[in-house]
Amino acid sequence: MDETTLSLIQQKIGYQFVNPVLLKQAFVSPSLTDATQNRVQNYQILEFIGDAVLGLAVVKNLASEFCHVDANGQFVSSATEGQLSDEKSRLVKNEKLAHCSNLLEFDSYLERAHGYHLHDRKNKKGDLIESVLGAVAIDSNWNMDILSRVASELLRYDKMVENATEKLQNYCDTNGLDLPTYYFWNCGSRYDCAVSLQSVNGLFVGNGKTVEEAQNAAVESAYTYLTGQNVTKKKSVEQTGANILNSSKKSPTAVEILNLKYIKKEIVQPNYSFAQTAENGKLFWICTLTLNNNEYQVSGKATTRKKAKQAAAKAMLDLLEKSKQEEKSIQSRGIGLLKRAMILRKEAF
């Protein structure tokens, strides 16, 4: 870890280390310790310390916010013991710590042994929050004021609103699912996005006027499905016949099927272009769809861009199916002629 990275992390957590080596150790994976035969110490002991410190720091901060000593010298609280306990549990549970760690980009600083895969650490990102806090505890000589402040700085990321993509990433990460893959298509003034989830063999499609709108629509569909079905690594989900899943559970559209064929590398990326025409005083959209450098080209016409695009996609699927059947027919005739030739040759001898 270089000095620039160390400085960036210290800015994020609001604490300047006296001994920066401790901060480096907070981001050392156990795999690196194994690979160096214990010459490089990892974050595990700091995580152990940080786990205890985090609980105490959160309790101290909750007490400062909800409790005080009254005129009679009694310690009183505006919240019940149950409410304080629930809030403490919410703040220190691993899912929330993992979310904070994601927003702080802590995992990108983790030093791993060569060949150590990111997915080997699923559900462990929250450990880095605790290891950093443990490093601060040692470096500050257990200064409780400093620990409370740093804990608040780390946990303030919990209060940030997650966008749709972060929610999906965190759900997959927490529940042991493969992380999503994103695909984008520029369709003139609109965009399509497909989110592929290998864990459920699913494809979720969205569109919008911007890349962000298209991605959010696709991601929300995927997130709604996963949470509605309570999908985890331990609970498998039956895939649909077309391998396309969406929150509405409607049949896949022609555009979605073409996109899936592209993702599976059965075809090259579909290329859509649009034009308008007037007929009998009415405006129509014409969508031209090409594949393989114009080897396959079809058009669709409708009163809206979306319908024209779907019409073109449907025409392309029909054309691909027709070409497939013709190829099979040619192969079948070729095999038939070959068999006939072999029979005639056998008869000749």
Side-chain angles (χ1 to χ4, degrees):
M1 184 180 293
D2 58 29
E3 295 300 320
T4 301
T5 303
L6 282 172
S7 177
L8 177 60
I9 296 172
Q10 290 175 104
Q11 289 177 22
K12 287 183 176 183
I13 68 176
Y15 177 75
Q16 194 73 26
F17 275 77
V18 177
N19 177 13
V21 174
L22 289 170
L23 182 57
K24 288 183 179 181
Q25 184 179 340
F27 290 94
V28 173
S29 161
S31 68
L32 194 57
T33 299
D34 293 340
T36 59
Q37 298 180 334
N38 293 323
R39 291 196 304 273
V40 178
Q41 296 302 305
N42 61 62
Y43 69 77
Q44 287 180 316
I45 186 62
L46 296 176
E47 177 212 341
F48 166 76
I49 293 170
D51 179 52
V53 169
L54 179 63
L56 182 58
V58 167
V59 168
K60 181 179 183 297
N61 291 337
L62 290 175
S64 298
E65 183 175 354
F66 295 102
C67 309
H68 67 280
V69 177
D70 67 9
N72 297 319
Q74 300 178 103
F75 192 68
V76 296
S77 173
S78 60
T80 66
E81 182 273 338
Q83 290 172 330
L84 292 174
S85 180
D86 288 345
E87 181 64 7
K88 174 179 177 272
S89 297
R90 185 187 73 82
L91 289 171
V92 302
K93 69 179 183 178
N94 193 62
E95 291 85 354
K96 292 299 180 184
L97 298 183
H99 169 56
C100 295
S101 182
N102 278 337
L103 295 182
L104 285 160
E105 300 179 305
F106 273 2
D107 200 76
S108 65
Y109 308 133
L110 187 67
E111 296 186 27
R112 309 173 172 92
H114 179 69
Y116 182 77
H117 198 269
L118 172 64
H119 289 178
D120 294 339
R121 298 196 65 258
K122 281 175 180 170
N123 303 326
K124 294 296 184 181
K125 290 185 179 180
D127 294 351
L128 296 178
I129 295 288
E130 295 172 342
S131 66
V132 167
L133 199 54
V136 173
I138 302 300
D139 193 70
S140 69
N141 196 25
W142 305 89
N143 185 312
M144 202 61 226
D145 289 336
I146 291 176
L147 291 173
S148 296
R149 177 170 54 78
V150 173
S152 296
E153 188 67 19
L154 292 170
L155 295 181
R156 78 183 179 87
Y157 289 88
D158 171 65
K159 298 180 175 62
M160 293 184 176
V161 178
E162 292 178 283
N163 63 33
T165 301
E166 287 167 349
K167 284 195 302 183
L168 180 60
Q169 297 270 136
N170 286 329
Y171 185 91
C172 292
D173 200 31
T174 301
N175 290 285
L177 305 175
D178 290 329
L179 295 179
T181 304
Y182 302 91
Y183 302 88
F184 297 92
W185 294 268
N186 186 342
C187 305
S189 62
R190 296 186 66 82
Y191 295 86
D192 279 347
C193 172
V195 178
S196 175
L197 293 176
Q198 295 298 321
S199 297
V200 294
N201 200 18
L203 182 72
F204 303 82
V205 180
N207 55 69
K209 294 180 180 178
T210 65
V211 171
E212 291 77 14
E213 279 187 17
Q215 182 172 343
N216 284 339
V219 166
E220 285 290 358
S221 178
Y223 183 77
T224 299
Y225 181 86
L226 292 180
T227 53
Q229 296 292 323
N230 191 27
V231 178
T232 66
K233 189 174 183 180
K234 295 180 181 178
K235 181 178 180 180
S236 62
V237 177
E238 292 183 4
Q239 62 192 57
T240 63
N243 292 332
I244 296 181
L245 309 174
N246 53 53
S247 57
S248 62
K249 299 183 181 178
K250 295 177 181 177
S251 299
T253 65
V255 171
E256 290 171 345
I257 293 174
L258 274 181
N259 288 344
L260 181 60
K261 286 181 176 293
Y262 165 61
I263 291 171
K264 288 184 171 183
K265 299 183 179 180
E266 295 177 5
I267 60 173
V268 299
Q269 182 173 343
N271 181 31
Y272 299 91
S273 61
F274 296 88
Q276 276 189 304
T277 184
E279 293 182 11
N280 299 323
K282 284 188 176 182
L283 285 176
F284 289 88
W285 282 97
I286 297 176
C287 175
T288 302
L289 171 56
T290 58
L291 289 177
N292 296 346
N293 295 323
N294 298 328
E295 179 182 350
Y296 295 100
Q297 185 177 83
V298 295
S299 296
K301 185 172 74 173
T303 54
T304 66
R305 286 172 59 99
K306 185 176 181 179
K307 290 180 179 179
K309 183 180 177 182
Q310 291 293 348
K314 176 64 169 60
M316 181 61 73
L317 289 174
D318 291 342
L319 178 59
L320 291 174
E321 181 61 26
K322 182 180 178 181
S323 298
K324 183 178 178 181
Q325 295 302 325
E326 287 177 351
E327 184 178 342
K328 284 183 177 180
S329 177
I330 292 171
Q331 290 176 348
S332 178
R333 289 199 301 270
I335 291 172
L337 290 172
L338 179 60
K339 286 182 177 179
R340 178 61 180 162
M342 291 176 68
I343 291 171
L344 290 174
R345 183 180 180 187
K346 186 176 181 180
E347 291 175 347
F349 288 96

